[in-house]
Amino acid sequence: MVLKTKKHQPNELSILVLRDGFSFCTQKKSCFYPTEDSNNIDPKAISDFLDQEELVSETVSLIHLDGLSSIVPLELFEKENAAFYLSKGLTLAPNQQVVFDVLESYNQAVVYPRDVKKWNVLKELFPTLEAKHATTTVLAPLTDFSMGTPKKQLFVHLREGAFELFLFQGAQLLFFNSFEQQHVDEFLYYLFYITEQFYLKPEGFKLAFLGAYDHYKEYYEGVQEYHSDVIFLDAPSENRQTKHPVPFLENKTL
C-alpha cells in the first residue's frame, strides 16, 4: 500500500535536521554532516562539503527531527501562545525558538522547537529554503490514507533511537506521541502499553509500519508474534537495505 508522499525528483535536495547533524538527501544518495555543537557550525565548511559531494540543487527543503512536536487542533491553537503547547513535555534551550506548521486542510497545527543557529546557517546557504517538522510531513498523508476507514489504525514511524505513533479512526487523530527506543524490547513495551491504554483489541485495529527495512526486521517480527493485522506502507521500499537513521524520510521531500 502506498502513501501520498512526495519523493525526490532530479535537482531536489532535502535536509533532515537530526540531533547530531544534518543528513543531506537527493534522489541518488544521502550524506551525513555531523554537528556536535550548533554554536560552532561553520557555513563555509558546510558549503565546501556540499560542493565536494556535488549536492547543489535547485530546490531545497528541510525536515526537522531534532526536537519533539505537538499536534494541536486549529480550533484550540493560538499562535501567540505557541510555546504553551510544548511546555508540559519540553524545556526550551537558550538556542531554541518555538515555531509551527499550520495544516489548514486538516485543521491541525504542529508546534515544535527550532535551533536558531542551525536554521540561520542553513537559511544563509539556501535563501529559498522551505521547512517543516517531520510530524507535519507524515501527518497529512496518514490522514488522507485513513479517510473512510472505520477500523482504527495505528501507524508506526520507526527511526534510529525513537519512534512515533499515530492512532486514527477514519480521518480523526485520536493519539500521537514520540517515544525513545534503543532496541526491540523497549519498542514493544511502549507499543503495547499504548494499545492497552486505548483498549485496542487485536481484532479491533490495523497496525501499519511506515516503510519496510531490513534493519528493523526484528521489530516487525516482534509485533507480528502478537498482532496479525499488520501492513507495510510504501513497501517494498526503494531503500530497503539502507542504514539511514530515518529511512522512511530518506527519499522524501516536502
Side-chain angles (χ1 to χ4, degrees):
M1 295 185 179
V2 180
L3 283 179
K4 295 178 182 178
T5 54
K6 185 181 177 185
K7 295 190 177 182
H8 284 122
Q9 300 300 312
N11 297 321
E12 284 189 332
L13 169 69
S14 66
I15 308 169
L16 305 187
V17 182
L18 309 174
R19 290 180 181 177
D20 58 348
F22 304 131
S23 178
F24 295 95
C25 306
T26 68
Q27 194 178 64
K28 294 183 178 180
K29 66 177 181 179
S30 302
C31 303
F32 182 73
Y33 185 91
T35 56
E36 294 183 4
D37 183 356
S38 64
N39 291 316
N40 296 322
I41 297 176
D42 182 358
K44 178 65 165 57
I46 297 177
S47 181
D48 292 343
F49 172 81
L50 294 171
D51 290 341
Q52 177 184 330
E53 297 292 341
E54 299 180 340
L55 289 173
V56 178
S57 289
E58 295 175 4
T59 304
V60 184
S61 60
L62 182 148
I63 301 176
H64 289 279
L65 286 131
D66 55 338
L68 296 175
S69 63
S70 178
I71 301 175
V72 184
L74 276 187
E75 59 267 26
L76 302 177
F77 179 66
E78 297 178 356
K79 62 181 181 180
E80 298 82 3
N81 298 313
F84 167 78
Y85 306 105
L86 295 175
S87 60
K88 292 185 178 180
L90 175 70
T91 300
L92 287 178
N95 61 327
Q96 291 179 321
Q97 63 181 172
V98 175
V99 293
F100 51 86
D101 305 325
V102 175
L103 293 84
E104 293 280 0
S105 301
Y106 303 94
N107 296 311
Q108 303 278 17
V110 177
V111 187
Y112 55 97
R114 181 170 70 191
D115 186 302
V116 177
K117 180 63 175 179
K118 289 180 181 178
W119 171 251
N120 289 342
V121 168
L122 293 173
K123 193 68 174 174
E124 177 184 337
L125 292 170
F126 306 102
T128 61
L129 183 69
E130 293 186 17
K132 292 181 182 177
H133 196 275
T135 300
T136 308
T137 307
V138 173
L139 180 60
L142 290 184
T143 305
D144 290 339
F145 183 88
S146 301
M147 287 182 179
T149 305
K151 191 173 186 178
K152 290 178 181 176
Q153 298 187 89
L154 184 62
F155 298 94
V156 183
H157 175 217
L158 262 171
R159 54 193 179 94
E160 183 180 289
F163 69 101
E164 282 75 44
L165 292 180
F166 300 78
L167 177 63
F168 279 87
Q169 186 163 27
Q172 182 181 4
L173 179 65
L174 303 178
F175 172 80
F176 162 74
N177 208 343
S178 181
F179 303 86
E180 293 192 0
Q181 65 81 23
Q182 299 299 332
H183 49 76
V184 63
D185 290 341
E186 194 170 17
F187 163 71
L188 292 173
Y189 170 81
Y190 286 117
L191 175 67
F192 290 118
Y193 172 77
I194 293 302
T195 63
E196 290 177 2
Q197 291 296 303
F198 282 86
Y199 303 100
L200 298 177
K201 303 297 182 183
E203 67 280 2
F205 76 102
K206 184 186 297 292
L207 192 147
F209 284 100
L210 305 191
Y213 309 99
D214 295 346
H215 184 65
Y216 293 114
K217 182 181 178 181
E218 288 186 41
Y219 290 71
Y220 307 146
E221 292 175 346
V223 170
Q224 289 169 321
E225 285 186 21
Y226 302 97
H227 191 71
S228 59
D229 195 356
V230 175
I231 61 174
F232 297 87
L233 303 180
D234 281 12
S237 302
E238 298 171 1
N239 56 337
R240 186 181 186 95
Q241 296 181 335
T242 185
K243 297 294 180 66
H244 193 276
V246 194
F248 183 71
L249 295 178
E250 181 184 13
N251 59 359
K252 305 289 193 303
T253 186
L254 300 184

